[in-house]
Amino acid sequence: EAKNVLPRDDGAYGPMLGLSAITGVLPARVLGMGSSRSTAGIYGIFAGTASHLYQLQGDGSWLQVSKSGGYTLDPGNGDRPRGVQYGDRYISAMGISNPVQSFNVAGGSQFADLAATAPRALHIAVVREFIVLGNTWDPSQLVRPDQLWWSAFGNAASWPAPGSPSAQAVQSDRQILADGGHLQGIAAGIGGADAAIFGETRIWRMAYEGPPTVYRFDAVERARGCYASGSSGT
């Protein structure tokens, strides 16, 4: 029985090395991390606290790259930076207290609001060519913890009014999943589905159908879900 060892390239085993710091220290508790790579091969590694977003530099230090004024995240409400790669952009949901943020990994220097019309959200995923947000807030409906909302096809910054001709033309829409409690996470490309949507007491299969429906939602688990926000891995 071998303990505290790792396999080596030569087929033998070697000792597990001790822990060592590879980056500098951030000024506050880290609430989320993520990474992205541009089409040109430029990497971006990001971390977020309750008030700022940071990018890891080549020397291991953290550069503050928040939008002007920073953010106000409330972890007690489930607010955490949760990001995805979309083309050359790293897009981060910032909870219901802050607009969704976007950073150009290919040459950007600062995060900015993704779009004035995009809802705020706790969860984010890329499903096909859509940005999908879950557990949302917007000025007209306020908090909708049971709602999914997705962008225009192929355009993360396009969020027309749901149900409008403009939204129908680009396949942007939203869906309320009212019988499973709060939405706790989105997992893209799982179980043969375009995405799995996790509620507190339900799990739904999200399948692309195209216009006018765009997506169909089928409950595949009616007795179990995810108790904690983000426990689905998103």
Side-chain angles (χ1 to χ4, degrees):
E1 182 179 3
K3 295 183 177 180
N4 298 320
V5 296
L6 294 172
R8 300 190 319 207
D9 291 340
D10 60 4
Y13 290 86
M16 181 178 292
L17 300 178
L19 297 176
S20 61
I22 59 173
T23 75
V25 177
L26 285 160
R29 176 190 173 193
V30 177
L31 299 179
M33 291 189 68
S35 64
S36 184
R37 184 179 68 172
S38 74
T39 52
I42 300 172
Y43 286 86
I45 298 175
F46 304 93
T49 67
S51 58
H52 290 290
L53 290 170
Y54 299 84
Q55 184 181 26
L56 183 64
Q57 304 299 292
D59 62 358
S61 64
W62 292 97
L63 177 66
Q64 196 258 95
V65 289
S66 307
K67 75 171 186 178
S68 179
Y71 315 100
T72 306
L73 276 73
D74 182 0
N77 288 335
D79 289 355
R80 291 181 181 275
R82 293 186 170 101
V84 295
Q85 177 175 324
Y86 192 89
D88 283 345
R89 294 196 167 271
Y90 180 77
I91 300 175
S92 180
M94 301 291 286
I96 61 174
S97 305
N98 303 269
V100 177
Q101 297 295 288
S102 175
F103 186 92
N104 185 353
V105 180
S109 60
Q110 192 174 29
F111 276 92
D113 293 352
L114 174 63
T117 52
R120 301 174 184 179
L122 264 62
H123 305 292
I124 184 171
V126 178
V127 182
R128 289 182 176 256
E129 294 297 319
F130 301 91
I131 289 289
V132 179
L133 300 174
N135 200 320
T136 63
W137 179 97
D138 71 278
S140 63
Q141 300 182 107
L142 302 180
V143 177
R144 286 305 309 236
D146 56 357
Q147 181 168 253
L148 284 176
W149 198 329
W150 56 91
S151 70
F153 181 82
N155 187 348
S158 177
W159 298 82
S164 67
S166 297
Q168 293 172 6
V170 295
Q171 303 185 62
S172 178
D173 207 347
R174 60 189 177 193
Q175 176 72 39
I176 292 174
L177 300 170
D179 62 344
H182 292 194
L183 298 185
Q184 305 287 49
I186 310 165
I190 185 172
D194 290 312
I197 312 301
F198 295 85
E200 291 177 296
T201 60
R202 296 283 190 278
I203 302 173
W204 295 270
R205 180 178 183 268
M206 182 178 182
Y208 180 75
E209 289 192 330
T213 306
V214 187
Y215 279 104
R216 186 182 76 249
F217 297 87
D218 299 310
V220 294
E221 175 58 67
R222 297 181 179 274
R224 294 173 295 177
C226 288
Y227 177 76
S229 179
S231 57
S232 65
T234 64

